[in-house]
Amino acid sequence: MNPWLALAGAIILEVSGTISMKLSDGFTKLVPSVLIFVFYAASFAILTLALKKIDIGIAYAIWAGVGTALIAVIGVLYFKEPYSIMKVFSIFLIIAGVVGLNLSGLKH
């Protein structure tokens, strides 16, 4: 399995788990509550596969950073959370940090 595709899959599953948290309404809705654990377990399992070939610092930074940025964007677009220039700039900084870590981990 391509480790970068595994990492992308782990990110999508992590984001799905976080969305399920919101939809569970504090564990009052059964299906989203169960999906939290299903998505996070699958995310960690696939992340483990990605770690066979990708350095842990790089993989985790990408997993956490891209997941955080995606959740922030989904919060604004889907859940109608408020946004500001500071929020948009902060998302940009997360992405810039992930790119910087990725570039620093390249072997020459």
Side-chain angles (χ1 to χ4, degrees):
M1 173 180 270
N2 181 316
W4 294 103
L5 288 177
L7 183 57
I11 292 166
I12 291 167
L13 288 164
E14 185 266 337
V15 168
S16 299
T18 305
I19 292 168
S20 295
M21 280 186 206
K22 177 74 171 172
L23 296 176
S24 77
D25 197 28
F27 291 114
T28 61
K29 296 181 181 171
L30 180 63
V31 173
S33 297
V34 170
L35 287 176
I36 294 168
F37 298 99
V38 171
F39 286 136
Y40 270 103
S43 178
F44 285 127
I46 294 176
L47 179 60
T48 301
L49 297 176
L51 292 176
K52 290 173 71 173
K53 299 284 184 181
I54 303 172
D55 291 343
I56 191 168
I58 301 299
Y60 190 77
I62 293 170
W63 180 81
V66 172
T68 301
L70 283 173
I71 284 299
V73 170
I74 290 167
V76 169
L77 296 178
Y78 183 76
F79 294 107
K80 305 300 182 208
E81 295 175 355
Y83 67 95
S84 64
I85 295 298
M86 181 59 94
K87 186 179 264 190
V88 172
F89 181 68
S90 297
I91 292 169
F92 170 76
L93 287 176
I94 292 168
I95 294 167
V98 168
V99 170
L101 278 170
N102 221 350
L103 292 176
S104 71
L106 293 176
K107 294 182 172 88
H108 297 277

